[in-house]
Amino acid sequence: MEYVCEVCKERIAPDRRGKVRVEGVMHRSAPKAWVWGPVPCHPDCRPSMSTPYDDQVGLGEYQLTWQDMTAI
């Protein structure tokens, strides 16, 4: 499977552990329940990530999160 960065639209190669970083937004009351994402993202592109929840992140309801996903 090919992974493409949500921000720069460039291909992401799995790291030496076979993992790809994914980013998303979760509801604070339901951690592990993605409300947006997860989408692949280069670590360097993370500061430029925009989501439909940007105006609500950090106000107590939603939080940005990430994880390393095993590439298939």
Side-chain angles (χ1 to χ4, degrees):
M1 174 177 233
E2 184 172 301
Y3 296 92
V4 176
C5 178
E6 180 72 13
V7 176
C8 71
K9 307 301 184 203
E10 297 285 328
R11 184 180 174 278
I12 300 176
D15 65 15
R16 59 183 166 83
R17 299 173 301 143
K19 306 271 185 181
V20 172
R21 182 184 182 113
V22 293
E23 301 278 338
V25 176
M26 291 184 183
H27 197 280
R28 286 194 189 273
S29 67
K32 303 198 188 262
W34 299 94
V35 294
W36 180 84
V39 295
C41 182
H42 291 112
D44 293 342
C45 291
R46 185 173 189 245
S48 301
M49 174 79 68
S50 66
T51 78
Y53 295 89
D54 285 349
D55 59 341
Q56 299 170 54
V57 168
L59 298 177
E61 193 170 340
Y62 296 102
Q63 65 187 22
L64 290 173
T65 191
W66 67 274
Q67 69 184 43
D68 286 334
M69 178 181 76
T70 301
I72 300 172

